[in-house]
Every structure is written in C-alpha cells, then in structure tokens.
Amino acid sequence: MNIVVVGLSHKTASVEIREKLSISETQIESAYAHLTELPQIQETAIISTCNRLEIYAVVKQAEQGVKEINQFLSEIGQISLSQLQQHSCVLVDQDAVWHLMRVAAGLESLVMGEGQILCQVKKAHRLAQTYKGFKKILDRLFKQAITAGKRIRNQTNIGTGAVSISSAAVELAKMKAQDFTDCNIAVIGAGKMSRLLIQHLLAKNALQISIVNRSYSGAEELASKFPDHKFQLYTLSEMMSAIAKSDIVFTSTSAPEPILNRFKLEQALPKNHPLMIFDISVPRNVNADVNELENIAVYNVDDLQAVVAQNQETRRQMANLAEVLLKEELQTFILWWKSLQTVPTISSLRNKVESIRQQEVKKALSRLGDEFSENHGQLLESLTKGIINKIFHEPTVKMRTQEDSEVLQMTLSAVRMLFNLDSGESTKAPTCEF
C-alpha cells in the first residue's frame, strides 16, 4: 500500500484553474462516495479551500491510484488530463506525509503561518470520518498532522502577526484607498472570512460598513459580533442597491457561480461611479467580464501576493524552527506506519503460541484430575499467559520500533520461517516505501 496526495494550490495553479476544481460542502458527500468506490482507493480525505484542493489516499499501488484520482479531478473540473497535470502535484509516502504536516502548520499557505488552515484540516478530518473515507492509516495521519499544527502554533512565533487572506485583502484595499474613514464599504457574505474582514476594517478605522447576506438574520448575527459598531444590513436581493452606494466591495460567499457580472453593475451603478472590488472567494464571486468596465478595479486572491510578500521573510526564518519540530512528528508517524508491517506476523505467532498454551494447560489439568480446584486452574491459566507475555514483550517492541526497513523485513521473514507461519495468508505483511 502507498499513501499519496494529488492536488493543486496557489503555488501551482491560478484562481481560474482552482475555481474549476473547488469542491463545495454540498458536493463533498458525493465526492467521497465516488472516491471510495474507485478500485485502488482504500482510504481517502479531501482538503478543499480557496487556495488548494488536495486528495489524500491510501492506495493499493501508487501509479494506478494516482491515475484514478486524476481521472476523478478531470471529471469534476471538466478539464483535460493534460491540462490538469500541468497544474497538479503528486506526492507519495513520506513526501505526502511531510506535505500534510507542512499544510497543517501553515507552512504551505499563501500567508505563511496563518492559523485558519489548521481549522480546515480539522474540518477535513471530521468530514472524512462522517463520509467514511477514513480507516486506520489516514485517521492516524490526520490526527498526527493536527497535533503537529497545534505544536507549531504553541512552540514557535510563526503565527505572530501573520495575516490571513481577509487581512491581506484589507491591507491591499488600504494601499489603494489610503484612508477608509470616508469610504462606504460593503461586505458581501456573513461567514468566517467576512467576520475577519470586518474585524480588520474596523481596526483600520473604517466607519461606514454594510453587510449583505442571503438571509437578513445571518447579516444580523454577524453584526451582533461587533456591538460597538452600527452597520447597514441588506439581503442578497438588495445587493446591487448596497453596491451602488459603495466605494469598496469585498465578496466572500460560497456561491458556486459569480454573483456579480458586467451587466448587473452597468445596470446598478451611476455613470462613471468608481468602485474597487476585492473578491476573496474561490470559486470567484465576480465574473471576469467586470474587468472590461471603466472605473471599476477588481482584485482576487492571486492579487494578494504583493501584500503577503512584505512580511513573509520574517516568518520564513521562523519556519526553520517549525520544520525541526515537524520532523519529530513525521518520524513518530513513520515509525507507527512501519510498525503495521509487524502486526500480521506478531498476531499469527501469538495465535500459534496461544493454541499450544491452551493445549498444554488442558493436558496438565486432565493429568492432575480432581487434585486441582477451579481456583488452581485459574492460577495455571494466569501463570502460563504471564510467561508468554513476558517472553513476547521485548522481541515485539524491538520489531515494532525497528527503523531500518531492510532489517525489519529480514527479521519478519526469519520469525515466519522459524515458527512455520508462512502457511497462512494472514501472515503476509503489508509493505510501505518509507
């Protein structure tokens, strides 16, 4: 078996490609149903964010498993395999494990050290459990990665002052507008990203903020998180009215299709009305044809790179310490993964010895006849089990903690040969490429 990850991110693909391959919450159940039915897939998990889509899987054979996942991605994104492979990345075994550790720690994020990705990895773990993508190996891997991410945040300063996508968008808007105090600002959407947008806007002295949401109650709930500020609230049906009064618009919704296009804006905006739109959604909320309009500037998540670069170097230095800690977590997982190879042999050996123990205890009790009471029989059971456990303990620990794969395979082969365990199919150990 192999552990693989197939996916793409802000490092390998533009937002135009990423939005085609985004898997929304409404699609996630069917995605798991499809993946778990593929012949090569033993376990799977999906991480889908605005900056990445990654499919993690335990597969019978790496090359064939990757082909099946690529075919799945090609179908959901409606793009050719050749185009997909130009933008995707494939990692196998230790490289795949190391990558997930880095993702959970925020080292692979657009904004290095940002904390939101750890929540997204936790969510991916929860959804994989819900939709039965997990068995033993990926469940353990994701738990280890989450532990690693928490450790990095607790034991390093990589997250100190680290901006999120939302704060980077606000920083970019501030660079363009200079001063927020006289700006009318509309935030479309009422989720976590919108909450962070408003938090950063208020910190930058924005005074006139409107919240637009599909439901009025959702807009009210978001506004209630900032009791010291008064907002204008709109439903999505009133969105164009709110935008017509705005100088700056931030869009952050989970809509699968654009909610703004050239026609809507032409119809709603006064002639020559200047407007800046910051679209931090993937798929994008703003259609590409809006770029054709004069006096309107549109920025998406890929335009945040310049803002992020300003404080990236400091966090890159902090990442060196983070990687030292991550390597410890990596080794912990690899040691556990390798130990799975010993399970069939140890289990088969224990079963064989237990069968012999039971036979010999039965013989001894039959010879002793009525001289032994029931309590004596229980004592004999306990005594013989204790002897076997003590004999097995040290060799079992040594096999499970053996880091040299070649030595481990030789040891397992020797044990199977010495105790004649090769006759049963269950004694065959799974392989790994670490």
Side-chain angles (χ1 to χ4, degrees), residues 125-168:
H125 178 265
R126 185 176 70 253
L127 289 173
Q129 288 179 318
T130 300
Y131 298 119
K132 298 180 171 50
F134 277 164
K135 292 179 185 174
K136 189 174 192 176
I137 295 171
L138 285 189
D139 182 47
R140 175 67 176 251
L141 173 56
F142 268 69
K143 285 177 179 175
Q144 193 82 49
I146 291 166
T147 297
K150 289 178 181 176
R151 186 179 178 193
I152 297 307
R153 299 203 68 75
N154 291 334
Q155 297 184 24
T156 75
N157 293 322
I158 195 168
T160 303
V163 293
S164 63
I165 298 297
S166 298
S167 64

Side-chain angles (χ1 to χ4, degrees), residues 320-389:
N320 293 332
L321 171 59
E323 288 195 344
V324 171
L325 301 177
L326 284 183
K327 284 176 182 176
E328 294 176 7
E329 299 293 336
L330 174 71
Q331 287 305 117
T332 298
F333 178 80
I334 290 176
L335 194 59
W336 173 83
W337 168 242
K338 283 183 176 180
S339 76
L340 295 184
Q341 297 179 77
T342 68
V343 172
T345 298
I346 291 172
S347 178
S348 185
L349 179 58
R350 277 189 170 275
N351 288 339
K352 183 166 188 174
V353 173
E354 174 62 14
S355 177
I356 294 170
R357 185 196 69 80
Q358 290 178 7
Q359 291 173 14
E360 294 304 311
V361 168
K362 188 175 181 180
K363 284 181 187 177
L365 290 174
S366 66
R367 290 172 184 165
L368 291 168
D370 295 334
E371 294 181 29
F372 257 42
S373 66
E374 183 178 341
N375 286 340
H376 289 136
Q378 291 175 352
L379 182 63
L380 186 58
E381 281 279 325
S382 178
L383 173 66
T384 53
K385 283 183 178 179
I387 291 171
I388 287 173
N389 286 337

Side-chain angles (χ1 to χ4, degrees), residues 167-275:
S167 64
V170 172
E171 286 290 341
L172 182 57
K174 187 73 164 56
M175 288 167 57
K176 303 295 182 182
Q178 300 297 318
D179 187 3
F180 285 155
T181 54
D182 294 324
C183 290
N184 287 304
I185 300 173
V187 175
I188 302 176
K192 184 172 182 179
M193 298 282 271
S194 295
R195 178 178 62 78
L196 292 171
L197 280 169
I198 292 175
Q199 178 181 317
H200 293 298
L201 285 167
L202 293 175
K204 298 291 184 182
N205 300 316
L207 302 176
Q208 302 168 75
I209 302 175
S210 300
I211 300 174
V212 182
N213 191 51
R214 182 171 50 188
S215 69
Y216 193 82
S217 60
E220 283 185 313
E221 183 180 352
L222 176 55
S224 70
K225 299 183 185 300
F226 304 93
D228 296 332
H229 192 84
K230 185 173 178 61
F231 300 91
Q232 294 292 319
L233 306 182
Y234 298 87
T235 62
L236 206 56
S237 62
E238 303 169 305
M239 175 178 68
M240 298 315 299
S241 175
I243 291 175
K245 300 172 185 174
S246 301
D247 304 299
I248 299 173
V249 173
F250 293 90
T251 64
S252 177
T253 82
S254 57
E257 302 290 338
I259 59 174
L260 287 177
N261 57 34
R262 175 175 179 164
F263 177 78
K264 286 183 179 180
L265 289 167
E266 282 181 324
Q267 294 296 309
L269 293 181
K271 191 174 182 179
N272 299 323
H273 178 76
L275 183 66

